[in-house]
Each structure stands twice: as C-alpha cells, then as structure tokens.
Amino acid sequence: MRRSEVHAAESVACLNRALNQLKEIWEEIGIPEDQRLQRTDVVKKHIKGLLDMMIAEEDSLRKRLMSSIESCRKELDVLCTELQLSPFEEDEGRTMLQLEKDIRSRLEVMMKQKSQRVKELKTLYKQDRELCDIMCSVPFCIDLDSVPSLEQLDSYHSYLNDLTKEKDRRHGEFVGIKRQIILCMEELDQLPDTSFERDVVCEDEEAFCLSSDNITALQLLLGQLEDRKTENELVCSSYRTKIQELWERALNWPQVSVLSLSVSHFYMSRWRCQHLL
C-alpha cells in the first residue's frame, strides 16, 4: 500500500474518532436528537467544503498540466520542423508531471539549438558580406529567414574557407602585379592615366576590389606596359646600332668631318631615345 493511501485511511479514522467524540459530548450534555442532526450537518458542510476546495485546486493543477503539455507539444512540432529533426517520441506509462517535465526539458534543448544555429548563420553571413565587398562576388545562396540545417552550416563554412583562400591568392597576385606595374611606369617615365591605373598605383591595397575582372585587367595592363617597354628597348637598340654604323663609317673620313658628324648624330639619337622613353 502506498504511503498516500495509508495517510488517507488515517484521515478517515481521525474523522470517525472526532465524530464519536462529538457524539459522546452531545450525549453527556443532553443535546436532543434534532439538534445533533443540525450539528452533524454543520460538520458535514465544513468537511465537504474543505474537500471540495482541495479537489478544485488539484483539478485546476491537472488542467494546467494538460494545457502545458499540449502547448509544449505544439512548440516541439514546430521546432522539429524548423531544425529538420524527427518528431519527439514520448515514453509510454509516464505520468502527467513526468511527461510535462520531459517535454519541457526537450523543448529547452531544441530552443537552444535553434538560437545557436541562427546566431552562427548571422556570423557566417557577416563574413560572407565582407568577402563579397572585397571580391565583388555573389553571396552564398541560403534562406536567412529560416533555421539552417547542420549540413547547410557545414557547407557555408566550407564555402567561406574556400573564398578566403581565393581572396588571399588574388591579393598576393595583385600585390605582385602592382609592383611590376609601378616599376614599368617608372622605367617608361609614365604616370597613371586612367582611373583604373590610379586605383592600382595610388589607392590603398586593402581598398582594391579583387574581382576576377580586375585581376584580368591588371594582367592586361602589365602586358601592355611590358610590350611598350620592349618596343622602346628595340627602338633604342636600333638607334644604338645606327650610331655604331655611323661611327665606323666616319673612321674613314677626314678627322674634322668625322668628329662633327659623329657628335651631331650622337645627340640626335639620344634626343629620340629620350622622347620614346
């Protein structure tokens, strides 16, 4: 027998003893039967009122538990759908209190998972936007208004890792090409002319957009400068050859004529080289 049942039996026995004591007191006093009935009814009303109040309180507790269980079930169903998890399975034979505690504990765990996933998604999206601004790329395709799955978060992490490596590679390539462009411009005695050239040479390296189009444009600009540099070197080499030929030819002329002609040709060739550079 449960302890609660033992206490209930003791309560009934206590009530019976109290009624017997009242009966003895009424007999000793000599209270008539009709008045005894009235007094017994008063006792009955007091006891019944107390029991009715206790029953109402316990029944209210039962209804609150049922309402809480139903509400938690609905929230669990929604969270399972959002988190893409299998539905919560209730253990059979659980009492209302045990079931309500189990469901509420499970609900708290799943709400924490949802909060962590949403927070992680916001962090990843912020990193994505920063990389997109640097590389002029398109953000990762994911619904920001829903709770991401663990697989989606893993894919997002991998995507950002690859994008970060690509950004570092492009930045290194940009810095190397920029140095070569500056050297070529110095050798050609040329200043940045277009807005793109000024962005490359004059602006902060961290502010340069590392898009694939810009990297291609950088390579094209460097190629053009190197071609121009090669062309100028070929022209200068041609003039040097001509000067050498004139000098050797002049060796067979009279000394004064040779000297004046060689000097004039030397300065003319030098002037042309300077203007080509």
Side-chain angles (χ1 to χ4, degrees), residues 14-48:
C14 181
L15 178 60
N16 288 331
R17 285 195 301 270
L19 291 174
N20 288 332
Q21 288 179 354
L22 287 173
K23 180 181 176 182
E24 293 174 358
I25 293 173
W26 292 337
E27 287 179 353
E28 185 178 352
I29 295 175
I31 296 177
E33 182 65 20
D34 57 342
Q35 293 184 10
R36 292 184 185 183
L37 290 174
Q38 292 176 358
R39 283 172 166 77
T40 303
D41 286 340
V42 172
V43 173
K44 176 184 175 182
K45 289 179 181 179
H46 278 298
I47 295 174
K48 185 177 183 302

Coordinates of all heavy atoms in Angstrom, one line a residue, residues 14-48:
C14 N -9.3 9.3 11.7 CA -9.3 10.5 12.5 C -10.7 11.2 12.5 O -11.2 11.7 13.6 CB -8.2 11.4 12.1 SG -8.0 13.0 13.0
L15 N -11.3 11.3 11.3 CA -12.6 11.9 11.2 C -13.7 11.1 12.0 O -14.5 11.7 12.7 CB -13.0 11.9 9.7 CG -14.4 12.5 9.4 CD1 -14.5 13.9 10.0 CD2 -14.7 12.4 7.9
N16 N -13.6 9.8 12.0 CA -14.5 8.9 12.7 C -14.3 9.1 14.2 O -15.3 9.2 15.0 CB -14.3 7.5 12.3 CG -14.8 7.2 10.9 OD1 -15.8 7.8 10.5 ND2 -14.2 6.2 10.3
R17 N -13.1 9.2 14.7 CA -12.8 9.5 16.1 C -13.4 10.8 16.5 O -14.0 10.9 17.6 CB -11.3 9.4 16.4 CG -10.8 8.0 16.4 CD -9.4 7.9 17.0 NE -8.5 8.8 16.4 CZ -7.7 8.4 15.4 NH1 -7.8 7.2 14.9 NH2 -6.8 9.3 14.8
A18 N -13.2 11.8 15.7 CA -13.7 13.1 16.0 C -15.3 13.1 16.1 O -15.8 13.7 17.0 CB -13.3 14.1 15.0
L19 N -15.9 12.4 15.2 CA -17.4 12.3 15.2 C -17.9 11.6 16.5 O -18.9 11.9 17.1 CB -17.9 11.7 14.0 CG -17.7 12.5 12.7 CD1 -18.2 11.6 11.5 CD2 -18.6 13.7 12.7
N20 N -17.1 10.5 16.8 CA -17.5 9.8 18.1 C -17.3 10.6 19.3 O -18.2 10.6 20.2 CB -16.7 8.5 18.2 CG -17.0 7.5 17.1 OD1 -18.2 7.4 16.7 ND2 -16.1 6.6 16.7
Q21 N -16.3 11.4 19.3 CA -16.0 12.3 20.5 C -17.2 13.3 20.6 O -17.7 13.7 21.6 CB -14.7 13.0 20.3 CG -13.5 12.1 20.6 CD -12.2 12.8 20.4 OE1 -12.1 14.0 20.0 NE2 -11.1 12.1 20.7
L22 N -17.6 13.9 19.4 CA -18.7 14.8 19.4 C -20.0 14.2 19.9 O -20.8 14.8 20.6 CB -18.9 15.4 18.0 CG -17.9 16.4 17.5 CD1 -18.1 16.7 16.0 CD2 -17.9 17.7 18.3
K23 N -20.2 12.9 19.5 CA -21.4 12.2 19.9 C -21.4 12.0 21.4 O -22.5 12.2 22.1 CB -21.4 10.8 19.2 CG -22.6 10.0 19.6 CD -22.5 8.6 18.8 CE -23.7 7.7 19.3 NZ -23.6 6.4 18.6
E24 N -20.2 11.7 22.0 CA -20.2 11.5 23.4 C -20.4 12.8 24.1 O -21.1 12.8 25.2 CB -18.8 10.9 23.8 CG -18.5 9.5 23.3 CD -17.1 9.0 23.5 OE1 -16.3 9.9 24.1 OE2 -16.8 7.9 23.2
I25 N -19.8 13.9 23.6 CA -20.0 15.2 24.2 C -21.5 15.6 24.2 O -22.1 16.1 25.2 CB -19.2 16.2 23.6 CG1 -17.7 16.0 23.8 CG2 -19.5 17.7 24.1 CD1 -16.7 16.9 23.1
W26 N -22.2 15.3 23.1 CA -23.6 15.7 22.9 C -24.5 14.9 23.9 O -25.4 15.4 24.4 CB -24.0 15.5 21.5 CG -23.4 16.5 20.5 CD1 -22.8 17.7 20.8 CD2 -23.2 16.3 19.1 NE1 -22.3 18.3 19.7 CE2 -22.5 17.5 18.6 CE3 -23.5 15.3 18.2 CZ2 -22.2 17.6 17.3 CZ3 -23.2 15.5 16.9 CH2 -22.5 16.6 16.4
E27 N -24.1 13.6 24.0 CA -24.9 12.8 24.9 C -24.7 13.2 26.4 O -25.6 13.2 27.2 CB -24.5 11.3 24.8 CG -24.9 10.7 23.5 CD -24.5 9.2 23.3 OE1 -23.7 8.8 24.2 OE2 -24.9 8.6 22.4
E28 N -23.4 13.5 26.7 CA -23.2 14.0 28.1 C -23.9 15.3 28.4 O -24.4 15.5 29.5 CB -21.7 14.1 28.3 CG -21.3 14.5 29.7 CD -19.8 14.6 29.9 OE1 -19.0 14.2 29.0 OE2 -19.4 15.0 31.0
I29 N -23.9 16.2 27.4 CA -24.6 17.5 27.6 C -26.1 17.2 27.6 O -26.9 17.9 28.3 CB -24.2 18.4 26.5 CG1 -22.7 18.8 26.6 CG2 -25.1 19.7 26.6 CD1 -22.2 19.7 25.5
G30 N -26.6 16.3 26.8 CA -28.0 16.0 26.8 C -28.7 16.8 25.6 O -29.8 17.2 25.7
I31 N -27.9 17.0 24.5 CA -28.5 17.7 23.4 C -29.5 16.8 22.6 O -29.2 15.6 22.4 CB -27.3 18.1 22.4 CG1 -26.4 19.1 23.1 CG2 -27.9 18.7 21.1 CD1 -25.2 19.5 22.3
P32 N -30.6 17.3 22.3 CA -31.7 16.5 21.7 C -31.2 16.0 20.3 O -30.3 16.5 19.7 CB -32.9 17.4 21.5 CG -32.6 18.5 22.5 CD -31.1 18.6 22.7
E33 N -31.9 15.0 19.8 CA -31.5 14.4 18.5 C -31.6 15.3 17.3 O -30.7 15.3 16.5 CB -32.4 13.2 18.2 CG -32.1 12.4 17.0 CD -30.7 11.7 17.0 OE1 -30.2 11.5 18.1 OE2 -30.2 11.4 15.9
D34 N -32.7 16.2 17.3 CA -32.8 17.1 16.2 C -31.6 18.1 16.1 O -31.1 18.4 15.0 CB -34.1 17.8 16.2 CG -34.3 18.6 17.5 OD1 -33.6 18.2 18.5 OD2 -35.2 19.5 17.6
Q35 N -31.2 18.5 17.3 CA -30.0 19.5 17.4 C -28.7 18.7 17.0 O -27.8 19.3 16.4 CB -29.9 20.1 18.7 CG -31.1 21.0 19.1 CD -30.9 21.7 20.4 OE1 -29.8 21.7 21.0 NE2 -32.0 22.4 20.9
R36 N -28.7 17.4 17.4 CA -27.5 16.7 17.0 C -27.4 16.6 15.5 O -26.3 16.7 14.9 CB -27.6 15.3 17.6 CG -27.4 15.2 19.1 CD -27.4 13.8 19.5 NE -27.4 13.7 21.0 CZ -27.3 12.6 21.7 NH1 -27.2 11.4 21.0 NH2 -27.3 12.6 23.0
L37 N -28.6 16.4 14.8 CA -28.6 16.3 13.4 C -28.1 17.6 12.7 O -27.4 17.6 11.8 CB -30.0 16.0 12.9 CG -30.5 14.5 13.1 CD1 -31.9 14.3 12.7 CD2 -29.6 13.5 12.4
Q38 N -28.6 18.7 13.3 CA -28.2 20.0 12.8 C -26.6 20.2 13.0 O -26.0 20.7 12.0 CB -28.9 21.1 13.6 CG -30.4 21.2 13.3 CD -31.1 22.3 14.2 OE1 -30.4 23.0 15.0 NE2 -32.4 22.4 14.0
R39 N -26.1 19.9 14.1 CA -24.7 20.0 14.4 C -23.9 19.1 13.4 O -22.8 19.4 12.9 CB -24.3 19.7 15.8 CG -24.7 20.9 16.8 CD -24.5 20.4 18.2 NE -24.5 21.6 19.1 CZ -25.6 22.2 19.5 NH1 -26.8 21.9 19.0 NH2 -25.5 23.2 20.4
T40 N -24.4 17.9 13.2 CA -23.7 16.9 12.3 C -23.7 17.5 10.9 O -22.7 17.4 10.2 CB -24.5 15.6 12.3 OG1 -24.5 15.1 13.7 CG2 -23.7 14.6 11.4
D41 N -24.8 18.1 10.5 CA -24.9 18.8 9.1 C -23.8 19.9 9.0 O -23.2 20.0 7.9 CB -26.3 19.3 8.9 CG -27.3 18.2 8.6 OD1 -26.9 17.1 8.2 OD2 -28.5 18.5 8.7
V42 N -23.7 20.6 10.1 CA -22.6 21.7 10.1 C -21.3 21.1 9.9 O -20.4 21.6 9.1 CB -22.7 22.6 11.4 CG1 -21.5 23.5 11.4 CG2 -24.0 23.3 11.4
V43 N -21.0 20.0 10.6 CA -19.7 19.4 10.5 C -19.5 18.8 9.1 O -18.4 19.0 8.5 CB -19.6 18.2 11.5 CG1 -18.3 17.4 11.3 CG2 -19.6 18.8 12.9
K44 N -20.6 18.2 8.6 CA -20.5 17.7 7.2 C -20.2 18.8 6.2 O -19.4 18.6 5.3 CB -21.8 17.0 6.9 CG -21.9 16.4 5.5 CD -23.3 15.8 5.2 CE -23.4 15.4 3.8 NZ -24.8 14.9 3.5
K45 N -20.9 19.9 6.3 CA -20.7 21.0 5.4 C -19.3 21.6 5.5 O -18.6 21.9 4.4 CB -21.7 22.2 5.7 CG -23.1 21.8 5.3 CD -24.0 23.0 5.6 CE -25.5 22.6 5.2 NZ -26.4 23.7 5.6
H46 N -18.7 21.7 6.7 CA -17.3 22.2 6.8 C -16.4 21.2 6.1 O -15.5 21.6 5.4 CB -17.0 22.3 8.3 CG -17.5 23.5 8.9 ND1 -17.0 24.8 8.6 CD2 -18.3 23.7 10.0 CE1 -17.6 25.7 9.3 NE2 -18.4 25.1 10.2
I47 N -16.6 19.9 6.4 CA -15.7 18.9 5.8 C -15.8 18.9 4.3 O -14.8 18.9 3.5 CB -15.9 17.5 6.4 CG1 -15.6 17.6 7.9 CG2 -15.1 16.5 5.7 CD1 -15.9 16.3 8.6
K48 N -17.1 18.9 3.8 CA -17.3 18.8 2.4 C -16.8 20.1 1.7 O -16.2 20.0 0.6 CB -18.8 18.7 2.1 CG -19.2 18.5 0.6 CD -20.7 18.3 0.5 CE -21.0 18.1 -1.0 NZ -20.5 19.1 -1.9

